[in-house]
Amino acid sequence: MRLPRLLLLLALPLAATPLHAQDLATTCHASSSYDVTLKPDSLLFDRTTPAPFHVELQRGVLRTDGAVVPQNAENEDRLALFERDLRALAPRVRTVARNGVDMAAQALRAEADGMQLDAATRAEFERRLAAHANELKRRISLSQSTRDWQGDAANQMMNQIAGDLLPLLAGDLGQQAVSAALAGDLQAAASLRDRAAALATGLQPRVQARLQALRPQIEALCPSIRQLASLQQGVRGGNGRPLDLLQIQP
């Protein structure tokens, strides 16, 4: 199962792949089969299967697949609190996600520091990295739906960033290898060529290792997520089954 993708923003570094080990599903043991959209006056949860496909919360009113599901006063209060608390959680999640982008950018800068890049290459790398980081943080800040971060869209974005930055670094290392070869240092030339060839696969784990520092910020969100799960307890949807928008595994 998947955690609502608004929360999975936490797993989006400026590397080519997400931070699987540090996402909320692992850290908080939380999962869901729904996407969620923060509409101006309601919350919308949707999925392709199984039914209910669409669940909407609006100030204590529950609709499943378009039909109002009557609730007692206590459950209406629970649903209203669920909506309020999820809206309050969203900006906290965005803050941690933006911090993750900053950490990933810092990790990439640290990697570049050790490559002895040409001054022009380093300046261009900094320009591109800053532009990508700012754009990603802008998208995080504006996003109101986990659908903005579905697999294909998120992967395409990460691949675009990696495809822009990594060849720049690899090209500079390749040029350093040529210079070393011309100077007669064949061992250094071979090492630089190997480093350039392994840049994509070698860079990812080092960046992700630095992102371990994000874990305490993710853990700080767990109590609020558990509270959301508890608020839905006792509420049943139109099929008479528990609402079950969010699950917490032991």
Side-chain angles (χ1 to χ4, degrees):
M1 288 185 289
R2 61 191 176 182
L3 191 67
R5 290 187 185 85
L6 182 60
L7 306 182
L8 283 176
L9 294 179
L10 297 176
L12 289 174
L14 270 178
T17 59
L19 241 187
H20 297 293
Q22 291 295 83
D23 65 24
L24 286 171
T26 299
T27 305
C28 300
H29 307 290
S31 61
S32 175
S33 57
Y34 287 94
D35 280 295
V36 60
T37 299
L38 305 181
K39 301 174 69 176
D41 61 348
S42 67
L43 297 181
L44 177 63
F45 295 81
D46 61 275
R47 62 186 177 188
T48 56
T49 189
F53 308 113
H54 307 283
V55 176
E56 189 169 19
L57 306 181
Q58 186 175 34
R59 295 186 294 276
V61 176
L62 171 65
R63 294 182 179 85
T64 61
D65 293 333
V68 173
V69 182
Q71 302 290 325
N72 59 33
E74 180 183 351
N75 283 350
E76 288 179 356
D77 289 343
R78 283 177 170 270
L79 292 172
L81 286 172
F82 187 100
E83 180 180 357
R84 183 201 68 182
D85 289 356
L86 181 55
R87 288 187 182 278
L89 181 61
R92 295 174 58 199
V93 170
R94 292 191 186 99
T95 295
V96 179
R98 288 191 294 266
N99 290 344
V101 172
D102 287 336
M103 286 184 183
Q106 290 168 4
L108 290 173
R109 289 189 178 98
E111 289 290 327
D113 286 342
M115 293 181 184
Q116 298 181 329
L117 299 175
D118 176 84
T121 301
R122 183 56 191 260
E124 179 62 14
F125 174 79
E126 288 287 348
R127 185 191 69 78
R128 294 186 190 184
L129 178 60
H132 287 303
N134 290 337
E135 174 60 16
L136 187 50
K137 289 193 289 185
R138 185 189 70 84
R139 292 192 184 193
I140 290 170
S141 296
L142 294 177
S143 178
Q144 298 296 321
S145 176
T146 63
R147 289 195 171 278
D148 297 339
W149 308 95
Q150 296 237 10
D152 289 344
N155 290 338
Q156 183 178 2
M157 186 187 309
M158 295 300 105
N159 289 336
Q160 180 181 358
I161 293 172
D164 188 35
L165 295 178
L166 296 186
L168 184 66
L169 299 178
D172 192 283
L173 291 175
Q175 185 58 50
Q176 291 181 44
V178 171
S179 298
L182 291 175
D185 192 343
L186 300 182
Q187 184 176 357
S191 177
L192 286 163
R193 283 195 297 269
D194 290 344
R195 189 176 180 187
L199 187 59
T201 54
L203 188 62
Q204 174 190 329
R206 293 194 296 273
V207 172
Q208 291 195 357
R210 289 175 176 267
L211 285 167
Q212 300 297 313
L214 196 64
R215 186 183 182 94
Q217 297 182 43
I218 299 174
E219 290 175 338
L221 301 173
C222 294
S224 296
I225 294 169
R226 289 193 290 268
Q227 175 65 13
L228 284 171
S230 69
L231 284 172
Q232 68 183 356
Q233 292 179 3
V235 180
R236 295 186 176 272
N239 55 9
R241 297 178 180 177
L243 190 58
D244 211 24
L245 297 173
L246 180 65
Q247 299 90 39
I248 303 291
Q249 283 75 44

